[in-house]
Amino acid sequence: MSIAIVPGSFDPITLGHLDIIKRALAVADEVVVAVMNNDAKVYTFDMETRAMLARLAVADLANVRVVADDGMLVDLFDRLGADVIVKGVRNDKDRAYEQRMAAYNLAQNPRAKTLLLDADPALSDLSSTRVRAALATGACPRALLPEAVAEALANKE
């Protein structure tokens, strides 16, 4: 059984993230959505909330599970016995960053190969930053979020 990890901060998970997760199912038998921390980021939602929202987003997807981990991705890769890391890229800036991260992960673990998937053009302007900006104004940007996530955030108000 092959395992793909789709890592990210998911602050919060968006329709763009969900699209990449669904597409990762085409390359692996199981997809693990890894909610992780990046020390360079300040989060709107704590890890527990981000993981809970991710679980809501993928609840109807067979062979997808969510884990929260504050360690290194290459260590999680080994603990899970994963076969590939899957990341989405929206533009050249994302691609350059993800290529650097892929090279770093591969240098740490020669099995930790990364597959970069281009974002669906209809979702390429979507980002968690846009979602957080809307949430900061009191709006719930339902068009950018999985339905269950939008409901959870709207009910949180």
Side-chain angles (χ1 to χ4, degrees), residues 116-139:
L116 300 180
L117 298 178
D118 288 328
D120 178 323
L123 302 172
S124 64
D125 288 336
L126 191 77
S127 69
S128 293
T129 302
R130 276 186 61 200
V131 171
R132 290 191 305 273
L135 291 171
T137 69

Side-chain angles (χ1 to χ4, degrees), residues 61-143:
L61 297 178
N63 302 322
V64 176
R65 66 184 166 110
V66 176
V67 299
D69 193 282
D70 60 3
M72 298 291 292
L73 177 58
V74 291
D75 295 333
L76 179 62
F77 184 89
D78 275 341
R79 281 197 312 274
L80 294 174
D83 299 288
V84 66
I85 299 164
V86 177
K87 295 289 291 188
V89 293
R90 295 169 296 187
N91 53 43
D92 289 341
K93 182 178 175 183
D94 275 2
R95 183 173 305 285
Y97 174 78
E98 295 300 349
Q99 286 173 332
R100 284 192 307 275
M101 294 308 299
Y104 172 82
N105 289 330
L106 198 56
Q108 303 307 305
N109 181 339
R111 285 190 339 93
K113 293 182 174 48
T114 301
L115 172 63
L116 300 180
L117 298 178
D118 288 328
D120 178 323
L123 302 172
S124 64
D125 288 336
L126 191 77
S127 69
S128 293
T129 302
R130 276 186 61 200
V131 171
R132 290 191 305 273
L135 291 171
T137 69
C140 183
R142 291 180 175 274

